[in-house]
Amino acid sequence: MANNKTIRDILEKVRRTKRWPDTKLIQRAYNYALLKHGNQLRKSGEPYIIHPTNVAYTIAELGLDEQTICAALLHDVVEDTEATYDDIKKEFGLEIADMVDGVTKLKQIQHASIEENQVENYRKMFLAMGKDIRVIIIKLADRLHNMRTLQHLTRDRQIAIAEETMQLYAPLANRLGLYAMKWELEDLGFKYLYPEEHDELIKGIEQKREERLKFIEKIMSDIRFQLKRQHIEAEVTGRAKHLYSIYRKMQRDNKTLDQIYDLFALRIIVNSVKDCYAVLGVVHEMYNPMPGRFKDYIAVPKPNMYQSIHTTLLGEKGTPFEVQVRTWDMHRIAEYGIAAHWAYKEANYGSRRGQKVVQVQEDKLAWLRETLEWQQEMQDPQQFLETLKTELFEDEVYVFTPKGAIKVLPRGATPIDFAYSIHAEIGNHMTGAKINSKMVPIITPVKSGDIIEIITSENSKGPSMDWLKFVKSSQAKNRIQQWFKKEKKAENIEKGKDAIERELKRIGIPYAELFKLEYINPMLDRYKYKNLEEMYAAVGFGAMTATKVIARMLIEYRKEHKEEPIEQKIEELSEVKHHNIKPSSSGIVVKGIENCLVKLSRCCNPLPGDEIIGYITKGRGVSVHRKDCVNIHELFKEENRIIDVEWYNQEKVSYTVEIEVFANDRNGLLADIVQKINDSKAKILGVNARATKERIAVTEVALEVDSLDSLNKIIKELRKVDSVYEVNRKK
């Protein structure tokens, strides 16, 4: 690719940004990576070394130190070559080795699902990030280059990587203030997730480009003239809004491109904070400001250190445009975030040579510390992922204590969140709240500028479990959960025991037979519980399910209790006959067996066209799963129970499948969705529709279809419905 960077580009960039760079160290790291990756190729057919070189160039662009550039060059050698952590440590030192280790994925954990393994990788990344923030910046640069070269992967991989980028990496770049990286990740994700909408938007913008440029050029010229008259030295530039932000606005407000006017933003960069406010006065004299569209992030910076004044003004004919005013220092932070404002403490790294490492400064990224607290509490991968995504996506509101201290809370937060942000004891003893001197329900959402007063009582019985439905901050959730764990431990242990006993009864294994040390200890070790009591409390509290605990113990149990021979199991399923095999009523042929009880698994609802496997169950015939089923890893532990199955395509059979439709809520939406499905001749078995408080409409539909192709056509048609932005098959 023409845009590929070389080691020469990296060294030139470093020489321009640093006074005495250690270019020999960087060259040595490049040579080592080149040697180790050898003849490895990327999916594009290019030499693999192109990838780490481009990642390292992005790191150099951000102005990071030589050690981080080296770690970027070496970031894949431990994962993809025979080199080890110890090799890197010996060759380049502990600091670089630990950064490389931080971005290296874990090997597939035995007995873990793909989802659990992914979560463990996220945990590892976040813990490494807590020690050294540079780890996550390397990871973001790595993801950015992968997104830039996504065209070489298959369509399903493009979608999976783009979705993960939008859900995790772009919000993470935003929280770290790496806005330039965030915008590009979002625009690339948009391009691969919604290719048609992306191309249409580009065409639409190009059509009126000249007209908009004239509009913005005139405004810039007028502002420059007025600032010169006021003797304010400033750089005035215009930039087009990013594609994804325009698309999101169109979706959110249900507008067409013609109805969105502020496609351009003006940026005014000055030398001092005093000049920022002077510029604000000038532009507000020249143009009318739009009410409610003024934000002063200089007086109240964002937690990621971003500072700027944002105001939306009305130009000729009432056309709105945005103006951002900031100093040069603020601009550097706005572009490069935490990488630009290298706010770190130096600390001994535990090495006898007294090496140093970059640590996150506590007051700059308090949200990160909280993330690390709550993520250690969660064993459930789905819960961890959902909370992580929520935490990264949150916008902030700025509220005040009665004494005028500022507290930053997630959008939609309540006085409960505010109470716990002050102290755990304030939250635990809270009985009421006042917003702006007026008594309110404690679940009232707070707004920026509110003054909040918490009323407490020593006689309070503590928090309610219902509070967890309303709080938004991970800090409040964490502290409420800790209270219940501590105060209700005995109760939770009893609940946990009951849940375990019910599950054992359901599967027909006596407690005394399964709960032996040789089965208990691997389970405690896998889920990091100190003892059985702690495990029972977690199950009783809801942090872990009884099913998962028992499933892990059954792995060890089955190693010792070989169940009846599989040949006997097949005999039980059917008599083997030597004439043509007929399909089961579900349209499945079990190879070599006739009149066999066959059941389509509910965990993945296979359809004709899906790749499938059969699993011989205990007393319930053969269950059929998709090959990408989340439970597949568990099934393959007992390979002697796996049996070949295939779709029988000589007769029409109908299958039940569930889909989810996500859309911006509007009148007539459900009718349009149902009409589209009826047009496709599919039979609707049931519909469940609800709207969230954010006005997102979630519609779940159970359908009867005859094949995977039919389902895919329905999904494609539903995506064309106005306001719909995502349609998924439920797994």
Side-chain angles (χ1 to χ4, degrees):
M1 282 177 68
N3 291 333
N4 280 333
K5 300 298 177 185
T6 64
I7 184 63
R8 190 178 298 164
D9 294 324
I10 294 170
L11 296 175
E12 276 178 22
K13 177 63 74 176
V14 171
R15 286 189 189 105
R16 282 204 301 273
T17 54
K18 301 204 175 300
R19 191 174 289 179
W20 307 109
D22 190 348
T23 52
K24 285 183 181 173
L25 179 69
I26 295 169
Q27 184 69 55
R28 195 154 60 84
Y30 173 79
N31 293 343
Y32 189 88
L34 187 63
L35 175 72
K36 293 296 175 186
H37 286 298
N39 295 324
Q40 288 178 352
L41 299 176
R42 301 196 82 215
K43 294 284 184 189
S44 61
E46 298 169 308
Y48 194 88
I49 192 65
I50 281 171
H51 172 62
T53 307
N54 277 277
V55 174
Y57 183 81
T58 298
I59 295 297
E61 269 189 312
L62 292 170
L64 270 72
D65 54 277
E66 294 90 318
Q67 286 75 16
T68 317
I69 295 168
C70 290
L73 285 164
L74 301 165
H75 80 271
D76 273 338
V77 293
V78 174
E79 195 173 314
D80 294 337
T81 78
E82 83 286 354
T84 64
Y85 168 83
D86 288 332
D87 293 337
I88 304 294
K89 185 174 158 187
K90 185 179 173 186
E91 200 72 33
F92 297 97
L94 188 61
E95 186 180 355
I96 292 172
D98 273 0
M99 279 193 272
V100 172
D101 182 57
V103 292
T104 300
K105 284 182 189 165
L106 298 162
K107 301 293 180 202
Q108 176 73 34
I109 303 166
Q110 198 184 6
H111 312 312
S113 67
I114 293 166
E115 186 186 45
E116 278 182 300
N117 208 67
Q118 179 70 304
V119 170
E120 291 304 326
N121 280 318
Y122 291 148
R123 281 192 211 276
K124 181 185 177 192
M125 186 171 79
F126 267 73
L127 286 168
M129 177 181 168
K131 291 178 191 166
D132 189 339
I133 198 70
R134 294 173 297 178
V135 166
I136 204 67
I137 300 174
I138 296 169
K139 191 69 190 171
L140 286 167
D142 171 47
R143 178 51 61 109
L144 181 61
H145 186 247
N146 283 334
M147 288 298 291
R148 285 171 177 168
T149 55
L150 208 56
Q151 72 268 28
H152 301 293
L153 299 188
T154 58
R155 182 73 187 124
D156 61 322
R157 291 298 298 140
Q158 287 176 347
I159 291 169
I161 292 168
E163 275 182 347
E164 187 188 36
T165 299
M166 297 294 254
Q167 291 173 357
L168 191 77
Y169 290 101
L172 194 47
N174 182 54
R175 291 303 295 259
L176 294 174
L178 294 158
Y179 289 109
M181 205 177 269
K182 175 226 178 187
W183 292 124
E184 190 175 351
L185 285 170
E186 283 189 341
D187 280 356
L188 287 165
F190 173 43
K191 175 182 172 181
Y192 287 101
L193 289 176
Y194 307 102
E196 288 173 18
E197 292 89 336
H198 177 270
D199 294 346
E200 278 173 25
L201 193 55
I202 287 177
K203 278 181 202 163
I205 288 170
E206 281 298 317
Q207 280 171 5
K208 294 195 176 180
R209 184 180 171 81
E210 288 301 314
E211 187 184 316
R212 290 194 188 101
L213 277 174
K214 279 180 193 169
F215 168 73
I216 213 78
E217 283 291 346
K218 169 85 167 60
I219 289 170
M220 286 197 297
S221 172
D222 292 347
I223 289 175
R224 285 189 191 112
F225 177 73
Q226 286 299 333
L227 292 179
K228 205 168 183 181
R229 282 186 62 186
Q230 300 293 331
H231 307 292
I232 300 170
E233 194 179 317
E235 181 182 282
V236 183
T237 56
R239 65 168 182 85
K241 286 278 186 79
H242 297 275
L243 288 175
Y244 183 65
S245 65
I246 297 169
Y247 174 73
R248 201 165 48 186
K249 192 168 186 177
M250 288 165 63
Q251 292 290 305
R252 187 188 66 216
D253 300 337
N254 205 15
K255 288 183 175 178
T256 63
L257 186 62
D258 288 339
Q259 294 170 300
I260 294 179
Y261 297 104
D262 54 341
L263 295 178
F264 283 90
L266 254 69
R267 187 172 290 148
I268 303 173
I269 307 175
V270 293
N271 295 322
S272 68
V273 173
K274 182 181 154 205
D275 284 349
C276 288
Y277 290 101
V279 166
L280 184 66
V282 170
V283 295
H284 277 196
E285 279 281 320
M286 295 173 68
Y287 306 97
N288 287 329
M290 270 182 80
R293 297 294 299 272
F294 173 78
K295 288 176 183 169
D296 187 349
Y297 295 119
I298 294 178
V300 185
K302 288 188 178 185
N304 60 21
M305 303 176 293
Y306 177 86
Q307 287 184 289
S308 203
I309 293 171
H310 292 193
T311 183
T312 301
L313 306 169
L314 297 169
E316 289 176 24
K317 299 174 188 172
T319 305
F321 63 96
E322 188 183 60
V323 173
Q324 298 171 356
V325 189
R326 58 178 73 143
T327 66
W328 285 102
D329 281 345
M330 291 171 194
H331 181 60
R332 207 158 46 88
I333 293 165
E335 291 295 300
Y336 301 125
I338 196 161
H341 190 105
W342 213 230
Y344 51 73
K345 303 173 192 171
E346 293 290 332
N348 282 328
Y349 200 50
S351 159
R352 269 180 262 169
R353 288 176 296 173
Q355 281 180 303
K356 309 286 185 180
V357 69
V358 180
Q359 288 191 329
V360 181
Q361 194 169 23
E362 289 185 355
D363 59 342
K364 297 294 183 192
L365 284 171
W367 68 273
L368 175 61
R369 287 198 327 282
E370 288 163 22
T371 299
L372 296 174
E373 280 174 25
W374 58 250
Q375 67 97 29
Q376 288 165 3
E377 297 287 326
M378 291 184 195
Q379 276 84 22
D380 184 344
Q382 196 56 44
Q383 189 188 0
F384 171 78
L385 273 182
E386 288 309 312
T387 314
L388 175 58
K389 288 169 188 173
T390 302
E391 189 67 19
L392 290 174
F393 267 117
E394 292 294 2
D395 289 325
E396 292 89 17
V397 291
Y398 300 87
V399 294
F400 298 90
T401 68
K403 291 183 179 176
I406 293 172
K407 290 284 174 186
V408 183
L409 298 173
R411 190 171 298 283
T414 66
I416 306 171
D417 294 277
F418 179 82
Y420 280 104
S421 76
I422 297 169
H423 197 279
E425 286 304 300
I426 302 284
N428 292 340
H429 292 93
M430 175 182 186
T431 56
K434 289 182 180 180
I435 295 180
N436 304 325
S437 303
K438 183 183 171 186
M439 284 295 291
V440 295
I442 60 173
I443 59 169
T444 306
V446 301
K447 300 190 292 293
S448 282
D450 282 346
I451 299 168
I452 303 169
E453 186 181 343
I454 302 300
I455 298 158
T456 60
S457 166
E458 282 303 314
N459 301 322
S460 162
K461 292 179 182 176
S464 158
M465 277 297 274
D466 287 339
W467 289 8
L468 289 169
K469 297 173 190 170
F470 302 105
V471 294
K472 295 293 179 184
S473 64
S474 57
Q475 185 181 42
K477 284 176 189 168
N478 195 28
R479 287 176 168 174
I480 293 167
Q481 287 172 341
Q482 281 172 353
W483 187 89
F484 276 99
K485 278 183 184 174
K486 190 177 168 186
E487 297 295 320
K488 307 269 182 176
K489 190 172 181 184
E491 195 180 308
N492 286 333
I493 289 170
E494 285 307 310
K495 277 187 190 170
K497 280 183 179 173
D498 287 347
I500 294 281
E501 283 169 10
R502 277 197 307 275
E503 182 62 17
L504 286 171
K505 203 171 181 180
R506 190 183 71 77
I507 62 174
I509 296 180
Y511 182 94
E513 195 175 328
L514 188 63
F515 271 71
K516 294 178 179 175
L517 280 179
E518 59 265 38
Y519 313 140
I520 291 169
N521 287 336
M523 176 273 295
L524 294 178
D525 185 51
R526 170 69 185 92
Y527 293 117
K528 300 179 177 65
Y529 292 120
K530 291 174 192 162
N531 49 45
L532 266 181
E533 204 172 65
E534 200 177 278
M535 180 275 288
Y536 284 133
V539 173
F541 175 66
M544 172 59 73
T545 63
T547 311
K548 273 196 175 176
V549 167
I550 290 168
R552 183 61 191 84
M553 293 170 75
L554 282 173
I555 291 165
E556 305 303 321
Y557 175 84
R558 284 170 182 155
K559 286 177 186 173
E560 291 186 23
H561 295 72
K562 300 290 181 193
E563 292 174 11
E564 64 266 46
I566 205 71
E567 293 78 13
Q568 185 183 331
K569 183 67 73 178
I570 291 173
E571 288 294 329
E572 284 174 18
L573 291 172
S574 157
E575 289 176 35
V576 179
K577 296 186 181 178
H578 297 287
H579 51 76
N580 289 337
I581 302 299
K582 292 179 183 175
S584 67
S585 59
S586 55
I588 301 285
V589 173
V590 179
K591 292 193 180 173
I593 302 174
E594 191 178 349
N595 299 329
C596 172
L597 176 62
V598 176
K599 204 173 172 191
L600 296 177
S601 165
R602 282 190 183 176
C603 58
C604 57
N605 285 326
L607 289 175
D610 285 330
E611 290 187 47
I612 51 173
I613 61 161
Y615 178 75
I616 300 168
T617 64
K618 197 173 180 180
R620 293 193 304 277
V622 172
S623 71
V624 177
H625 295 256
R626 277 160 46 191
K627 282 191 176 176
D628 61 354
C629 175
V630 291
N631 295 318
I632 210 76
H633 191 70
E634 290 296 322
L635 303 181
F636 270 105
K637 283 172 193 160
E638 296 181 82
E639 286 187 28
N640 61 343
R641 286 179 174 272
I642 300 296
I643 192 164
D644 284 340
V645 292
E646 62 185 26
W647 296 106
Y648 184 76
N649 56 15
Q650 291 178 23
E651 63 179 63
K652 279 277 182 186
V653 185
S654 59
Y655 303 86
T656 301
V657 66
E658 290 183 11
I659 58 172
E660 286 179 310
V661 183
F662 297 88
N664 294 305
D665 199 13
R666 63 170 173 81
N667 289 336
L669 175 67
L670 184 58
D672 289 351
I673 290 171
V674 170
Q675 186 60 51
K676 274 283 183 208
I677 296 170
N678 286 337
D679 290 348
S680 70
K681 305 292 189 287
K683 184 179 177 185
I684 297 176
L685 302 175
V687 177
N688 178 24
R690 66 184 191 278
T692 68
K693 61 184 178 186
E694 294 85 12
R695 299 201 61 206
I696 300 296
V698 183
T699 309
E700 295 171 349
V701 188
L703 299 170
E704 215 170 66
V705 295
D706 59 15
S707 69
L708 185 61
D709 281 346
S710 301
L711 176 65
N712 287 338
K713 281 174 189 167
I714 292 167
I715 288 173
K716 191 175 179 184
E717 286 304 307
L718 286 173
R719 282 178 177 152
K720 294 176 184 174
V721 173
D722 184 30
S723 298
V724 169
Y725 61 84
E726 188 56 82
V727 185
N728 296 318
R729 175 180 174 184
K730 284 185 79 173
K731 291 200 174 179

